[in-house]
Amino acid sequence: MKGKNELSFLAKNINWMTEQMRKRFEKERKVEQAKNELITNLSHDLRTPLTSIIGYLTLVKDKQYKNSEELEKYIQTTYGISFKLKNLLNELFEHTKLSLPDMDMQFQEVDLGGVLYQLVGEYIPMFENRGLSVKVEIPDEAVFISLDIEKMIRVFDNLLSNAEKYSHESGEIEIDLYTDDKQVITRISNTTDQIASEELSYLFDNFYRMDKARSSEVAGSGLGLSIAKRIVELHQGEIWAESEKEKITMYVALPFLHDKEEKEIIYEDL
């Protein structure tokens, strides 16, 4: 394309249109690929507990148990697996709902430090039950920020739950809250198996689990961090993970909203 005549301008426009179409097709291809992966993973995670439930119920139906104790064991196991299946379906529903473009957000001014301190308090018994030491550094003064409190609690609940489930026995959990001029940052770290740096970027993908074997030893759907990421993004924030030796740290950075006009602009973008 040379010159400044009408043909060169036409060629320029055609090139621009071609590039836009290429980007659109590439985006649609990635969306289709993600949808197929979601269906494949969902089929796997639904089939596994459902197969177990059918298996145990078949044993009960055919009276293939030695005594009442074994029967009770089958019933309790089936009951527990049913709850895992229920939780998976709830997680999937939440994930789908958060992906809708018209997701309703209920923002309000809250003291994030107070909310986090209360959540940590609820987890202290679970931490102590596993011999985990807890170090908390949250400012005494209130840290007010505009949040959808119900959804943001879901984020921190997931991070604290993961810290408890994946920590080494008698390990240490650290929870910090600090601010700078533009944002408030929450840091949650725990001692766990060493994680490769290239693996960190996948932690927030749908159905991803660090054990790679997708085992059921640690309860979870594999959607928790993906849901947390979506919620943080709806708050115009960032969530990421860092790892050093046998310590993993999750960060959540949320922007301060200084005035009503700024809030309205961000809410419209959401």
PDB file of all heavy atoms in Angstrom, residues 150-160 227-229 231-232 239 252:
ATOM      1  N   GLU A 150     -21.472  -9.470  49.969  1.00  0.00           N
ATOM      2  CA  GLU A 150     -21.788 -10.897  49.903  1.00  0.00           C
ATOM      3  C   GLU A 150     -20.849 -11.631  48.957  1.00  0.00           C
ATOM      4  O   GLU A 150     -20.349 -12.711  49.266  1.00  0.00           O
ATOM      5  CB  GLU A 150     -23.238 -11.093  49.463  1.00  0.00           C
ATOM      6  CG  GLU A 150     -23.663 -12.550  49.412  1.00  0.00           C
ATOM      7  CD  GLU A 150     -25.111 -12.730  48.967  1.00  0.00           C
ATOM      8  OE1 GLU A 150     -25.862 -11.734  48.990  1.00  0.00           O
ATOM      9  OE2 GLU A 150     -25.481 -13.854  48.612  1.00  0.00           O
ATOM     10  N   LYS A 151     -20.593 -11.025  47.807  1.00  0.00           N
ATOM     11  CA  LYS A 151     -19.722 -11.669  46.818  1.00  0.00           C
ATOM     12  C   LYS A 151     -18.266 -11.639  47.265  1.00  0.00           C
ATOM     13  O   LYS A 151     -17.523 -12.607  47.068  1.00  0.00           O
ATOM     14  CB  LYS A 151     -19.890 -10.997  45.460  1.00  0.00           C
ATOM     15  CG  LYS A 151     -21.248 -11.238  44.820  1.00  0.00           C
ATOM     16  CD  LYS A 151     -21.336 -10.583  43.463  1.00  0.00           C
ATOM     17  CE  LYS A 151     -22.679 -10.883  42.800  1.00  0.00           C
ATOM     18  NZ  LYS A 151     -23.814 -10.380  43.583  1.00  0.00           N
ATOM     19  N   MET A 152     -17.841 -10.529  47.874  1.00  0.00           N
ATOM     20  CA  MET A 152     -16.445 -10.449  48.289  1.00  0.00           C
ATOM     21  C   MET A 152     -16.147 -11.393  49.442  1.00  0.00           C
ATOM     22  O   MET A 152     -15.034 -11.935  49.541  1.00  0.00           O
ATOM     23  CB  MET A 152     -16.099  -9.010  48.662  1.00  0.00           C
ATOM     24  CG  MET A 152     -14.603  -8.765  48.818  1.00  0.00           C
ATOM     25  SD  MET A 152     -13.606  -9.317  47.396  1.00  0.00           S
ATOM     26  CE  MET A 152     -14.261  -8.273  46.097  1.00  0.00           C
ATOM     27  N   ILE A 153     -17.109 -11.621  50.317  1.00  0.00           N
ATOM     28  CA  ILE A 153     -16.923 -12.609  51.376  1.00  0.00           C
ATOM     29  C   ILE A 153     -16.666 -13.975  50.754  1.00  0.00           C
ATOM     30  O   ILE A 153     -15.864 -14.766  51.265  1.00  0.00           O
ATOM     31  CB  ILE A 153     -18.154 -12.648  52.312  1.00  0.00           C
ATOM     32  CG1 ILE A 153     -18.141 -11.429  53.244  1.00  0.00           C
ATOM     33  CG2 ILE A 153     -18.181 -13.934  53.133  1.00  0.00           C
ATOM     34  CD1 ILE A 153     -19.339 -11.345  54.152  1.00  0.00           C
ATOM     35  N   ARG A 154     -17.326 -14.247  49.647  1.00  0.00           N
ATOM     36  CA  ARG A 154     -17.124 -15.515  48.935  1.00  0.00           C
ATOM     37  C   ARG A 154     -15.652 -15.657  48.512  1.00  0.00           C
ATOM     38  O   ARG A 154     -15.076 -16.753  48.587  1.00  0.00           O
ATOM     39  CB  ARG A 154     -18.041 -15.567  47.715  1.00  0.00           C
ATOM     40  CG  ARG A 154     -17.838 -16.757  46.803  1.00  0.00           C
ATOM     41  CD  ARG A 154     -18.238 -18.048  47.513  1.00  0.00           C
ATOM     42  NE  ARG A 154     -17.946 -19.198  46.708  1.00  0.00           N
ATOM     43  CZ  ARG A 154     -18.774 -19.702  45.777  1.00  0.00           C
ATOM     44  NH1 ARG A 154     -19.939 -19.130  45.568  1.00  0.00           N
ATOM     45  NH2 ARG A 154     -18.442 -20.763  45.084  1.00  0.00           N
ATOM     46  N   VAL A 155     -15.040 -14.571  48.082  1.00  0.00           N
ATOM     47  CA  VAL A 155     -13.642 -14.598  47.660  1.00  0.00           C
ATOM     48  C   VAL A 155     -12.734 -14.972  48.828  1.00  0.00           C
ATOM     49  O   VAL A 155     -11.933 -15.911  48.743  1.00  0.00           O
ATOM     50  CB  VAL A 155     -13.223 -13.228  47.085  1.00  0.00           C
ATOM     51  CG1 VAL A 155     -11.708 -13.205  46.806  1.00  0.00           C
ATOM     52  CG2 VAL A 155     -13.989 -12.923  45.808  1.00  0.00           C
ATOM     53  N   PHE A 156     -12.850 -14.235  49.929  1.00  0.00           N
ATOM     54  CA  PHE A 156     -11.956 -14.471  51.070  1.00  0.00           C
ATOM     55  C   PHE A 156     -12.256 -15.802  51.755  1.00  0.00           C
ATOM     56  O   PHE A 156     -11.342 -16.451  52.277  1.00  0.00           O
ATOM     57  CB  PHE A 156     -12.069 -13.315  52.057  1.00  0.00           C
ATOM     58  CG  PHE A 156     -11.530 -12.017  51.510  1.00  0.00           C
ATOM     59  CD1 PHE A 156     -12.338 -10.900  51.386  1.00  0.00           C
ATOM     60  CD2 PHE A 156     -10.219 -11.932  51.089  1.00  0.00           C
ATOM     61  CE1 PHE A 156     -11.846  -9.721  50.866  1.00  0.00           C
ATOM     62  CE2 PHE A 156      -9.705 -10.752  50.568  1.00  0.00           C
ATOM     63  CZ  PHE A 156     -10.526  -9.649  50.450  1.00  0.00           C
ATOM     64  N   ASP A 157     -13.508 -16.207  51.734  1.00  0.00           N
ATOM     65  CA  ASP A 157     -13.863 -17.509  52.289  1.00  0.00           C
ATOM     66  C   ASP A 157     -13.171 -18.616  51.508  1.00  0.00           C
ATOM     67  O   ASP A 157     -12.662 -19.584  52.087  1.00  0.00           O
ATOM     68  CB  ASP A 157     -15.381 -17.689  52.253  1.00  0.00           C
ATOM     69  CG  ASP A 157     -15.823 -18.966  52.951  1.00  0.00           C
ATOM     70  OD1 ASP A 157     -15.521 -19.131  54.140  1.00  0.00           O
ATOM     71  OD2 ASP A 157     -16.460 -19.809  52.291  1.00  0.00           O
ATOM     72  N   ASN A 158     -13.132 -18.480  50.199  1.00  0.00           N
ATOM     73  CA  ASN A 158     -12.470 -19.474  49.361  1.00  0.00           C
ATOM     74  C   ASN A 158     -10.965 -19.505  49.619  1.00  0.00           C
ATOM     75  O   ASN A 158     -10.366 -20.581  49.733  1.00  0.00           O
ATOM     76  CB  ASN A 158     -12.743 -19.178  47.882  1.00  0.00           C
ATOM     77  CG  ASN A 158     -12.072 -20.172  46.954  1.00  0.00           C
ATOM     78  OD1 ASN A 158     -10.922 -19.992  46.580  1.00  0.00           O
ATOM     79  ND2 ASN A 158     -12.787 -21.212  46.576  1.00  0.00           N
ATOM     80  N   LEU A 159     -10.351 -18.327  49.728  1.00  0.00           N
ATOM     81  CA  LEU A 159      -8.907 -18.264  49.942  1.00  0.00           C
ATOM     82  C   LEU A 159      -8.514 -18.825  51.313  1.00  0.00           C
ATOM     83  O   LEU A 159      -7.518 -19.545  51.433  1.00  0.00           O
ATOM     84  CB  LEU A 159      -8.421 -16.816  49.812  1.00  0.00           C
ATOM     85  CG  LEU A 159      -8.596 -16.164  48.429  1.00  0.00           C
ATOM     86  CD1 LEU A 159      -8.063 -14.747  48.439  1.00  0.00           C
ATOM     87  CD2 LEU A 159      -7.915 -16.983  47.339  1.00  0.00           C
ATOM     88  N   LEU A 160      -9.292 -18.503  52.343  1.00  0.00           N
ATOM     89  CA  LEU A 160      -9.005 -19.025  53.676  1.00  0.00           C
ATOM     90  C   LEU A 160      -9.231 -20.538  53.742  1.00  0.00           C
ATOM     91  O   LEU A 160      -8.470 -21.269  54.378  1.00  0.00           O
ATOM     92  CB  LEU A 160      -9.875 -18.318  54.709  1.00  0.00           C
ATOM     93  CG  LEU A 160      -9.543 -16.846  54.972  1.00  0.00           C
ATOM     94  CD1 LEU A 160     -10.628 -16.196  55.825  1.00  0.00           C
ATOM     95  CD2 LEU A 160      -8.183 -16.710  55.642  1.00  0.00           C
ATOM     96  N   ILE A 227     -14.149 -18.538  40.298  1.00  0.00           N
ATOM     97  CA  ILE A 227     -15.239 -17.685  40.760  1.00  0.00           C
ATOM     98  C   ILE A 227     -14.678 -16.472  41.489  1.00  0.00           C
ATOM     99  O   ILE A 227     -15.132 -15.339  41.293  1.00  0.00           O
ATOM    100  CB  ILE A 227     -16.185 -18.482  41.681  1.00  0.00           C
ATOM    101  CG1 ILE A 227     -16.964 -19.519  40.852  1.00  0.00           C
ATOM    102  CG2 ILE A 227     -17.157 -17.557  42.416  1.00  0.00           C
ATOM    103  CD1 ILE A 227     -17.807 -20.462  41.681  1.00  0.00           C
ATOM    104  N   ALA A 228     -13.661 -16.696  42.335  1.00  0.00           N
ATOM    105  CA  ALA A 228     -13.039 -15.586  43.065  1.00  0.00           C
ATOM    106  C   ALA A 228     -12.463 -14.559  42.090  1.00  0.00           C
ATOM    107  O   ALA A 228     -12.607 -13.342  42.292  1.00  0.00           O
ATOM    108  CB  ALA A 228     -11.945 -16.119  43.984  1.00  0.00           C
ATOM    109  N   LYS A 229     -11.807 -15.032  41.042  1.00  0.00           N
ATOM    110  CA  LYS A 229     -11.224 -14.120  40.052  1.00  0.00           C
ATOM    111  C   LYS A 229     -12.304 -13.280  39.382  1.00  0.00           C
ATOM    112  O   LYS A 229     -12.148 -12.069  39.203  1.00  0.00           O
ATOM    113  CB  LYS A 229     -10.453 -14.920  38.999  1.00  0.00           C
ATOM    114  CG  LYS A 229      -9.821 -14.042  37.929  1.00  0.00           C
ATOM    115  CD  LYS A 229      -9.100 -14.887  36.889  1.00  0.00           C
ATOM    116  CE  LYS A 229      -8.503 -14.002  35.798  1.00  0.00           C
ATOM    117  NZ  LYS A 229      -7.834 -14.824  34.744  1.00  0.00           N
ATOM    118  N   ILE A 231     -15.252 -12.439  40.555  1.00  0.00           N
ATOM    119  CA  ILE A 231     -15.804 -11.480  41.510  1.00  0.00           C
ATOM    120  C   ILE A 231     -14.859 -10.287  41.670  1.00  0.00           C
ATOM    121  O   ILE A 231     -15.291  -9.126  41.674  1.00  0.00           O
ATOM    122  CB  ILE A 231     -16.056 -12.149  42.871  1.00  0.00           C
ATOM    123  CG1 ILE A 231     -17.208 -13.155  42.748  1.00  0.00           C
ATOM    124  CG2 ILE A 231     -16.388 -11.107  43.942  1.00  0.00           C
ATOM    125  CD1 ILE A 231     -17.431 -13.987  43.995  1.00  0.00           C
ATOM    126  N   VAL A 232     -13.577 -10.564  41.792  1.00  0.00           N
ATOM    127  CA  VAL A 232     -12.594  -9.489  41.940  1.00  0.00           C
ATOM    128  C   VAL A 232     -12.589  -8.610  40.687  1.00  0.00           C
ATOM    129  O   VAL A 232     -12.503  -7.373  40.778  1.00  0.00           O
ATOM    130  CB  VAL A 232     -11.191 -10.062  42.223  1.00  0.00           C
ATOM    131  CG1 VAL A 232     -10.136  -8.962  42.178  1.00  0.00           C
ATOM    132  CG2 VAL A 232     -11.164 -10.754  43.577  1.00  0.00           C
ATOM    133  N   ILE A 239      -6.465 -10.258  41.233  1.00  0.00           N
ATOM    134  CA  ILE A 239      -6.134 -11.364  42.135  1.00  0.00           C
ATOM    135  C   ILE A 239      -5.045 -12.186  41.460  1.00  0.00           C
ATOM    136  O   ILE A 239      -5.109 -12.459  40.266  1.00  0.00           O
ATOM    137  CB  ILE A 239      -7.386 -12.221  42.448  1.00  0.00           C
ATOM    138  CG1 ILE A 239      -7.042 -13.327  43.444  1.00  0.00           C
ATOM    139  CG2 ILE A 239      -8.010 -12.790  41.181  1.00  0.00           C
ATOM    140  CD1 ILE A 239      -8.259 -14.084  43.969  1.00  0.00           C
ATOM    141  N   VAL A 252      -5.125 -10.101  46.781  1.00  0.00           N
ATOM    142  CA  VAL A 252      -6.338  -9.488  46.243  1.00  0.00           C
ATOM    143  C   VAL A 252      -6.172  -7.979  46.379  1.00  0.00           C
ATOM    144  O   VAL A 252      -6.047  -7.458  47.495  1.00  0.00           O
ATOM    145  CB  VAL A 252      -7.600  -9.938  47.007  1.00  0.00           C
ATOM    146  CG1 VAL A 252      -8.829  -9.206  46.460  1.00  0.00           C
ATOM    147  CG2 VAL A 252      -7.788 -11.440  46.892  1.00  0.00           C
TER     148      VAL A 252
END
